[in-house]
Amino acid sequence: MLKPEKFGKLTIATSTQEIEAALFLIASRSVAQVKEISDLPRDFKRVQSEFFKIEDENKQDFDIRDFKIQMMNKKITEIGESLDFIINKLKIKPDPNLKTHYEFHIKDLNDLVEKLFNTTKDLYVKVQQLFNSIITTENAIEALQQRVAVLQGLASFDVQRQYLSGFRLMDVKTVIVGQKNVELFIEELKNAMVFFQEHRLNESSTLFIIAAPQERVPEISRKIDLYNAKVFEFSETDFLPNGVLDSAKSQKDLNTQIENRKRVDAEYKRIKQEIEVEIVAMHEVYMNAVKFLHNHEKMQFYNGFVIAEFWIRFKDWPRLESEIRSTFENRIQYIFREVARSATYKEEGQEAEEQKNIDDPPTYIQIPKILQPYTTVLKLYGLPQYSEINPLLLIFISFPLLFGLMFGDVGQGLALMLAGLAIARLYKKRQGYHNLGIIIFWCGVGAVFGGFVYGDVFGYPIIDVSIGGFRIFPWFHPFPEPGEIALFGVGAAMELLKFTIWIGTFQMSTGFLLRIYNYALIKRRYLIFVDPIPKLVILWDIWLAIQTYGLNITLFMSADFLFSLEGFLLIGAVLILVFGQLLGKAFRIPYLRKKSAGGLLGEQSMNLFETFLSFLSNALSYTRIFAMTMVHLGFIFAVRLIADQISQALGDAVWAFVIAYSIGMALVVALELVLVLIQNIRLHFYEFFSKFYKGGGNEITILKYDVRFSKIYFDDSERFIIELPAARPAAA
């Protein structure tokens, strides 16, 4: 938890037929990441030339390989589109209670893509035909329902064949208009001075019988087109021999189509039940094929063989090696090398070309659930590198603590705790917002602690915890009573200001202690004594001297101070900081030997100047804790004053004061939450992290394949898909 997991680099060489099986095995037996191929180890050059009998010039033609990759990409895209179509049309959802129910037997990735492509294509055609039948049936039913409604509507007006044709001066049209256009269409007909009769067919349409002079027919036709109306066309079967309308034939056709729809619905249910589990399993295999292809792009292919590299978690290697030997015997050649943390450290001022050749393993940290929300804060700065400590535990402690000292109020802290839990609950499935809610909750805990420190509950100094007349809480009281004694003997604002600088000094010291740990981690033990320890001595020597003598620059420059214990400590720490690394070069310390003496002297002189400057700026930066406390008090005072004035204006109404004060408190909490979070992040990033933490680690992309509903076997069996017993869910 305090440092990233240790990794090793695995390089394998095997046939192209075995590589997917190897990937599957590595993914299932270890925490691993596929690595871009770099310069191959010397031993592997021998494997390349002796075991596989190939040379660099025999490397597979990139154009051919790229063409194959492009073709597989194209087919995988089509597979995904086909599966998405089937899943959406059949409304298939994975059953969380299902386990592996289908086996897929293949030769290699190309075989997997080809077989999956053909199978999904057949299923796509099958489902497409089914939905074509559904659409055709639905359209027929809709048309027949409308026809029956029109015929029955016309029959209610006693319309007969001779009324619809045979007129020399008049034209009669039967028109169906959408309901949203009915009122406008009626206005148009009234303006056209024609006879019409309307009849509501259903919620979406109305039937119009329009009789108009022949000279008005073109105008009426334009209005019909304008409002997207539909002229109803009669057929011979709509009339009896005597000319009376008859809807019996259309009703019979409608009943036939309804029965046909029932058969199609039954076929839909049958097909869905038959293939839904298989489709879920195939979609999982499709996703794995996408991952296989993505990993292929990071490997080096030869004619029939492939070389791949992986980052493997070091503690997983013994088990993984045993599995590789038992599964592949001599069909895979491999080399595994532990990656030491010291070998990944990039020295300041190192040439870019040298840094390029340094291994850069991924960052993988097993984080307890309680700390996981704070990864959101950490990622703003950067994940820890392979060669440095993980500061997450320290952030978990210090972040709420500093927040509470800037936002000290028990009542508002409890409100933040409730708000944080509510946000985390509401956004449980949205990781970013969920993490924010948990962080706000812990900041609320810090604010409660800060409220005890300052004695405030919603702006009222009502906390008073004393033992034998000696105050435990609050530590600081903004407006102390005469003769009041607190735990630290403080009560004035200046003492609170000093306390915030003490907090800063302590946190900066923690940063230097963590730098000591980092140097030990990368085996730079000599640097511990010439970098963080002298800086710690300088920091505390100056701070204790200021506490003892005050900020007396004249005294600090005098001989009395320089020859005192504080002066000797300061001078000794300065000399070690400036000349310590130069001395290490003289002692031929390996990681200092390559640096020039002039470069080291100039670098450390500048380091000394920056150290004094940063101590001053960092210490003063922590006074923002004091500043935010004063801002908090100012907001509370303003809200109380406004609430009092509103209450007095309404005749000293208590309810008015409570409402105004509550609204004011809510605004203060929201505003201060944003302000204090920003200041808190700044203190951690610039004053704390700068002492020991670089960040910029590469988050691991774990090699992982989904095997919940499916399992892939690389055995070139004749059957592609095998359904296991109990795979089919019981019919409802």
Side-chain angles (χ1 to χ4, degrees):
M1 184 177 70
L2 289 179
K3 58 186 178 182
E5 292 271 4
K6 197 171 186 180
F7 276 81
K9 184 162 68 173
L10 172 66
T11 309
I12 68 169
T14 187
S15 65
T16 52
Q17 288 78 21
E18 300 277 11
I19 186 61
E20 277 77 31
L23 284 169
F24 225 76
L25 177 65
I26 292 170
S28 62
R29 297 293 186 270
S30 65
V31 174
Q33 174 179 313
V34 181
K35 179 183 178 298
E36 293 277 1
I37 286 289
S38 58
D39 292 337
L40 296 178
R42 185 181 304 171
D43 291 344
F44 233 91
K45 291 291 185 181
R46 176 184 57 79
V47 172
Q48 178 180 317
S49 59
E50 294 180 9
F51 182 76
F52 294 115
K53 307 300 182 186
I54 54 176
E55 303 295 340
D56 281 339
E57 57 266 22
N58 292 325
K59 190 173 179 181
Q60 185 167 328
D61 190 298
F62 280 112
D63 292 336
I64 296 174
R65 181 66 195 166
D66 287 346
F67 176 74
K68 289 182 178 179
I69 292 289
Q70 288 174 11
M71 291 303 296
M72 281 195 286
N73 262 321
K74 183 179 179 181
K75 287 187 176 181
I76 282 178
T77 301
E78 292 185 29
I79 291 168
E81 292 172 351
S82 297
L83 288 173
D84 287 343
F85 172 82
I86 295 169
I87 289 169
N88 290 331
K89 290 297 182 181
L90 297 182
K91 298 178 181 178
I92 294 174
K93 294 182 179 179
D95 185 347
N97 298 318
L98 289 178
K99 296 183 179 179
T100 302
H101 287 312
Y102 279 88
E103 293 178 353
F104 294 81
H105 295 261
I106 57 171
K107 180 181 178 182
D108 53 22
L109 178 60
N110 189 59
D111 187 42
L112 171 62
V113 172
E114 192 65 33
K115 288 178 177 177
L116 198 59
F117 177 78
N118 293 331
T119 306
T120 53
K121 185 177 180 182
D122 292 341
L123 290 172
Y124 173 84
V125 171
K126 186 177 183 179
V127 174
Q128 181 70 66
Q129 289 173 347
L130 172 65
F131 270 84
N132 286 342
S133 298
I134 291 174
I135 292 170
T136 302
T137 304
E138 289 291 342
N139 289 339
I141 289 173
E142 183 180 352
L144 285 168
Q145 285 176 334
Q146 189 177 71
R147 190 168 199 86
V148 169
V150 170
L151 293 175
Q152 291 176 347
L154 292 172
S156 67
F157 294 115
D158 195 23
V159 174
Q160 298 182 18
R161 188 200 303 267
Q162 61 267 28
Y163 300 158
L164 301 173
S165 61
F167 295 105
R168 187 166 57 86
L169 300 177
M170 297 288 292
D171 180 76
V172 179
K173 292 185 182 295
T174 307
V175 179
I176 301 170
V177 181
Q179 200 59 37
K180 65 180 182 180
N181 293 326
V182 166
E183 292 185 4
L184 293 174
F185 192 68
I186 290 173
E187 289 296 323
E188 292 286 355
L189 294 179
K190 288 180 178 179
N191 293 335
M193 304 292 290
V194 297
F195 172 80
F196 66 91
Q197 186 69 41
E198 60 180 295
H199 174 73
R200 182 75 172 267
L201 295 176
N202 48 46
E203 292 182 357
S204 61
S205 59
T206 296
L207 173 68
F208 284 84
I209 303 171
I210 304 171
Q214 290 289 350
E215 64 270 14
R216 296 284 182 87
V217 170
E219 180 185 352
I220 298 301
S221 296
R222 286 195 298 273
K223 295 183 185 301
I224 290 172
D225 293 337
L226 176 64
Y227 291 99
N228 200 25
K230 179 183 177 183
V231 177
F232 182 80
E233 300 291 345
F234 293 93
S235 67
E236 289 297 326
T237 58
D238 294 332
F239 299 96
L240 294 174
N242 60 2
V244 176
L245 283 171
D246 181 22
S247 61
K249 174 66 169 59
S250 295
Q251 184 65 54
K252 182 179 179 181
D253 292 342
L254 175 60
N255 293 337
T256 300
Q257 289 298 334
I258 290 173
E259 289 300 319
N260 190 35
R261 182 173 65 180
K262 291 179 181 178
R263 288 194 296 272
V264 173
D265 288 344
E267 180 69 5
Y268 169 89
K269 292 178 181 178
R270 185 190 68 77
I271 290 177
K272 179 178 179 179
Q273 184 182 355
E274 181 181 295
I275 69 172
E276 63 178 335
V277 180
E278 182 179 349
I279 288 296
V280 170
M282 289 177 66
H283 190 271
E284 187 174 79
V285 172
Y286 152 73
M287 294 301 297
N288 287 335
V290 172
K291 295 174 184 177
F292 278 135
L293 193 59
H294 175 70
N295 291 327
H296 272 218
E297 295 171 358
K298 299 179 181 180
M299 301 174 187
Q300 200 171 87
F301 283 82
Y302 295 80
N303 291 319
F305 297 97
V306 59
I307 296 178
E309 285 188 332
F310 305 86
W311 296 116
I312 305 291
R313 186 166 62 171
F314 187 74
K315 67 181 181 182
D316 295 332
W317 173 241
R319 179 190 176 196
L320 177 60
E321 182 180 26
S322 176
E323 292 276 356
I324 290 175
R325 286 179 175 176
S326 62
T327 304
F328 297 99
E329 297 176 347
N330 63 348
R331 301 195 305 278
I332 281 186
Q333 297 294 304
Y334 61 85
I335 295 172
F336 181 80
R337 294 185 297 115
E338 176 188 351
V339 180
R341 298 185 194 276
S342 57
T344 65
Y345 182 70
K346 296 176 181 178
E347 304 279 358
E348 293 183 8
Q350 196 172 26
E351 294 292 335
E353 193 62 33
E354 292 180 7
Q355 290 192 358
K356 187 178 178 181
N357 295 327
I358 295 175
D359 280 330
D360 194 11
T363 296
Y364 177 68
I365 305 169
Q366 291 182 303
I367 302 171
K369 190 174 181 179
I370 193 172
L371 302 183
Q372 286 176 1
Y374 281 91
T375 56
T376 303
V377 176
L378 187 62
K379 286 180 179 179
L380 293 174
Y381 195 92
L383 290 173
Q385 295 181 11
Y386 184 68
S387 57
E388 64 184 351
I389 192 172
N390 172 30
L392 208 55
L393 179 60
L394 297 163
I395 295 176
F396 175 73
I397 297 170
S398 63
F399 199 85
L401 181 62
L402 291 185
F403 182 94
L405 291 176
M406 289 186 276
F407 194 122
D409 191 294
V410 173
Q412 294 180 1
L414 291 172
L416 284 178
M417 291 171 65
L418 292 175
L421 289 176
I423 292 171
R425 179 79 175 176
L426 288 173
Y427 296 99
K428 194 172 183 179
K429 295 183 178 179
R430 298 180 66 177
Q431 195 62 44
Y433 287 107
H434 177 78
N435 287 348
L436 177 62
I438 299 298
I439 290 171
I440 290 174
F441 168 80
W442 286 112
C443 286
V445 173
V448 170
F449 170 74
F452 277 99
V453 170
Y454 302 131
D456 278 358
V457 180
F458 288 119
Y460 287 91
I462 59 178
I463 293 177
D464 188 356
V465 181
S466 302
I467 298 177
F470 191 77
R471 172 175 290 165
I472 304 300
F473 288 112
W475 297 355
F476 301 98
H477 200 299
F479 307 104
E481 299 294 334
E484 190 174 44
I485 300 176
L487 179 62
F488 292 99
V490 295
M494 283 305 297
E495 297 299 332
L496 175 58
L497 182 60
K498 288 181 181 179
F499 178 74
T500 62
I501 298 177
W502 271 108
I503 291 289
T505 305
F506 178 79
Q507 190 172 39
M508 288 190 288
S509 300
T510 304
F512 285 123
L513 292 174
L514 294 175
R515 183 182 290 190
I516 291 173
Y517 181 88
N518 278 342
Y519 279 142
L521 201 62
I522 59 174
K523 295 180 171 53
R524 301 292 198 271
R525 295 184 178 87
Y526 179 78
L527 292 181
I528 293 173
F529 300 98
V530 298
D531 184 36
I533 288 180
K535 289 181 179 179
L536 270 172
V537 172
I538 292 172
L539 174 64
W540 281 98
D541 189 72
I542 293 175
W543 179 236
L544 290 174
I546 291 174
Q547 288 292 307
T548 304
Y549 305 113
L551 193 59
N552 191 336
I553 303 299
T554 305
L555 175 64
F556 295 155
M557 299 296 293
S558 67
D560 290 339
F561 176 78
L562 295 177
F563 286 98
S564 66
L565 177 61
E566 295 93 337
F568 281 125
L569 287 173
L570 181 62
I571 293 171
V574 167
L575 292 175
I576 292 173
L577 188 61
V578 174
F579 299 104
Q581 292 194 29
L582 197 62
L583 194 61
K585 177 179 173 62
F587 289 152
R588 304 188 67 78
I589 302 293
Y591 43 85
L592 295 174
R593 190 170 53 190
K594 293 182 180 180
K595 296 186 177 183
S596 68
L600 280 174
L601 186 60
E603 182 182 314
Q604 292 308 110
S605 298
M606 184 60 68
N607 187 14
L608 175 66
F609 174 75
E610 289 178 352
T611 297
F612 278 98
L613 192 62
S614 66
F615 284 168
L616 177 62
S617 63
N618 292 161
L620 291 176
S621 186
Y622 280 91
T623 60
R624 70 187 63 238
I625 298 174
F626 170 79
M628 292 308 300
T629 303
M630 294 298 105
V631 168
H632 175 74
L633 293 174
F635 280 153
I636 295 296
F637 181 78
V639 168
R640 189 184 302 172
L641 183 62
I642 293 171
D644 280 334
Q645 290 178 345
I646 292 174
S647 176
Q648 291 171 11
L650 297 174
D652 292 330
V654 176
W655 62 267
F657 178 84
V658 172
I659 292 174
Y661 197 71
S662 299
I663 294 172
M665 283 294 103
L667 294 174
V668 167
V669 169
L671 179 60
E672 282 197 67
L673 175 63
V674 176
L675 292 175
V676 175
L677 280 176
I678 292 172
Q679 300 303 326
N680 201 1
I681 289 172
R682 195 226 181 264
L683 285 176
H684 278 82
F685 284 5
Y686 295 98
E687 275 63 58
F688 184 44
F689 282 4
S690 62
K691 304 297 179 288
F692 70 98
Y693 189 65
K694 290 183 178 179
N698 302 314
E699 186 172 10
I700 189 169
T701 304
I702 296 179
L703 178 63
K704 183 180 180 182
Y705 296 103
D706 298 321
V707 291
R708 186 174 185 178
F709 307 107
S710 63
K711 192 168 184 179
I712 299 176
Y713 292 90
F714 298 91
D715 55 8
D716 197 20
S717 172
E718 290 184 4
R719 295 183 63 185
F720 173 44
I721 303 176
I722 298 178
E723 181 179 1
L724 301 179
R728 186 72 51 209

